[in-house]
Amino acid sequence: MKRFALAFFAAIVALAACQKIDGSASAEQDIILSASIEQSTPTKTEIGDDKNIVWSENDRIVAFLKSASASQFQILPSFVGKNYADFSIISSSNPTIGSDWEHIVAYYPYSGTVECAHSAGNYLLDVEIPSEQTYGPGSFGSNTFPMVAVSADNKLAFKNVCGGIKFQFKGSAKVASITLSGKNSEKLSGAATVTAKGNGVAPTIEMASSASTEVTLNCPSGVQLGTATATEFIISLPPVEFTKGFKVTVTDTDNRTYTVETSKKNVVMRSSLLVMPEATLVRDETVEENLYGWTNVTSNYGTLPEYIKIYKSPSTLQGKSAVAYIAVADLDLGARWDIWSVLIDKSGWLDTYTSYDFHTPSVIYSVQKCPVIINGGFFYYEGGKNYTSSLAIRNSLAPLSYNINYEGNYFPTRAAFLEYADGTIDACWTYALWNYEHYMYPNPAPAYNLNQPSASYPAGAKVFAAQTGIGGGPVLIDNGEIVNTWSEEMLSDINPTTSQPRTAIGVTAGREVVFFVCEGRGMTSGVYGFTTYEVASILKSMGCVEAINLDGGGSSCMLVNGIETIKVSDGYQREIANAVMLF
């Protein structure tokens, strides 16, 4: 990492109308503030051609002149492009230097929402770290790299609050935006509190619980990459440790996506630039580009939204006679998926009994009017009563039902396909305790597990939080790899190693959701279905990076505009506890 040393002096000149500052100065006396910046990594408003850090046009700062009253100062035009500047006051509720505090506190960039309070010798500033930044060639975007200064007199030494990360991309794409997110829900933008002190002490920043887990660098006119020389993109970030690495999604001006990610720990430090190695962007392939022998049959089912496509399999898949269909929906083009489900009766300790009626997919379609619908998770009947045994959640509310997490004396974790509030889609394993405490895990509990899962077991537990979700099992694909955890999930009763009708759901790196159904049990002569591993292999070949198996057998069904695709193996549609829909 190359460091750039600089010092600048900014004269901040008050208007002639300012009042006295010490009881003896005349009203016409200027308020002069000297400002310097710590010698460090490229910072401030932009990086000049000579690699010095320079002020840019319309730069503004907010100053608290020894009181909680904020004053706004703006650069004088003659100092644009220099590493020192004069600023003039342009607005203030009280344009004087007060006596409430011991220090003057200044913050860049200016925002009318910045507030400052004094507590136990510290100055606490409520600020907003932008969730969207604007690309600047070889530089941070304007107004995205904050600084703070605290001084007892008129000499302000600004210190950097954030750090940064530099990506270096090659390729043929014209970049429209770059979105960064950590793999452990690290807070990267939004509301934050900066704690500043005098005497040259470095500031700290704490992101609010409501802060966002991603940040986007926008390139309004598009940035054309080259194949020989890498183009630099710099994003400002609060100090953060990406414990499990991060994911970068690059979108080009044709709305095509490219994914770059790492699973290694990376740390962004205050006042430092984390430089990532050069990477060549390879476009995320669409499902259609990976369909060998599949036929687009969308037109057979009437009018569908342009972002939903229907495909029928070739007559042979995985070396077997096959009748299978997929529905592919591009979430980035406006598609969404949702859940219909019965509601379990929450009368006490967790029970999956429901007093609500199950319905066939056709009945559900008649109410929901969704373009595509498939059957959801597992259910059963006992003693003349209906029970649902798979998770279903919609609208970020409490789950309508839960995965059953017991098998005799054992406590398996079971599959869930979830979308979070930030749009991330993940296949994971869940467990619900009898008191409705609900957790999700990055890995399953071992087969024949005798230890009840909890907030600390298996490792990596998180309190359940999802916007939309469906349960089932097993997880077929996780983080791009086939896992097929039917043994750990204790799902031998779904006959995972024999050919059966199957239903599954997956998502690609390019955010295309895939609904899969296959026919079986000889409804078409010689067609018996697939094993769960074979279904995982089919979905992975299409580009799915996360996928789970849903209920199969006689429940397997897909309707497109209310029209059946496969021949259901009971000869008629089963009544089901929940379903997954595309809109």
Side-chain angles (χ1 to χ4, degrees), residues 8-13 44-46 53-62 72-90 108 110 142-143:
F8 65 86
F9 296 92
I12 303 178
V13 183
K44 199 58 203 72
T45 80
E46 64 177 326
I53 312 308
V54 296
W55 293 97
S56 60
E57 187 175 8
N58 297 321
D59 264 341
R60 294 176 295 164
I61 64 172
V62 57
Q72 180 183 176
F73 293 83
Q74 181 168 315
I75 189 172
L76 294 177
S78 60
F79 291 90
V80 171
K82 299 179 180 180
N83 59 10
Y84 60 92
D86 288 349
F87 286 74
S88 62
I89 193 167
I90 59 174
Y108 170 86
Y110 172 80
S142 180
N143 296 320

Side-chain angles (χ1 to χ4, degrees), residues 477-494:
I477 302 173
D478 184 43
N479 291 323
E481 300 298 329
I482 294 177
V483 291
N484 192 29
T485 53
W486 66 266
S487 177
E488 292 88 341
E489 297 181 48
M490 299 188 69
L491 289 173
S492 59
D493 57 344
I494 68 167

Side-chain angles (χ1 to χ4, degrees), residues 184-328:
N184 200 26
S185 300
E186 290 85 357
K187 305 291 188 181
L188 304 181
S189 62
T193 299
V194 172
T195 301
K197 300 181 180 181
N199 302 318
V201 177
T204 59
I205 183 170
E206 181 178 355
M207 303 303 295
S209 59
S210 61
S212 174
T213 56
E214 66 179 31
V215 61
T216 297
L217 180 68
N218 291 314
C219 308
S221 301
V223 177
Q224 181 63 58
L225 300 182
T227 56
T229 303
T231 302
E232 297 179 353
F233 298 86
I234 302 176
I235 298 177
S236 172
L237 292 171
V240 60
E241 180 176 306
F242 293 107
T243 57
K244 298 180 180 179
F246 55 76
K247 177 181 177 180
V248 179
T249 302
V250 180
T251 303
D252 68 15
T253 52
D254 292 321
N255 207 35
R256 297 173 299 190
T257 59
Y258 310 73
T259 302
V260 178
E261 55 187 313
T262 175
S263 58
K264 296 181 179 179
K265 181 173 73 173
N266 288 276
V267 180
V268 174
M269 296 184 293
R270 186 197 74 84
S271 198
S272 295
L273 192 65
L274 175 64
V275 180
M276 302 305 297
E278 292 184 4
T280 299
L281 295 184
V282 178
R283 182 167 58 86
D284 296 332
E285 293 181 328
T286 64
V287 170
E288 187 172 47
E289 291 173 314
N290 289 309
L291 295 180
Y292 302 104
W294 291 69
T295 303
N296 187 327
V297 293
T298 307
S299 61
N300 293 351
Y301 296 93
T303 302
L304 290 169
E306 62 180 3
Y307 45 71
I308 296 178
K309 299 292 188 293
I310 311 299
Y311 300 89
K312 183 180 180 181
S313 71
S315 59
T316 302
L317 278 176
Q318 298 289 306
K320 296 179 177 180
S321 295
V323 175
Y325 288 81
I326 59 169
V328 181

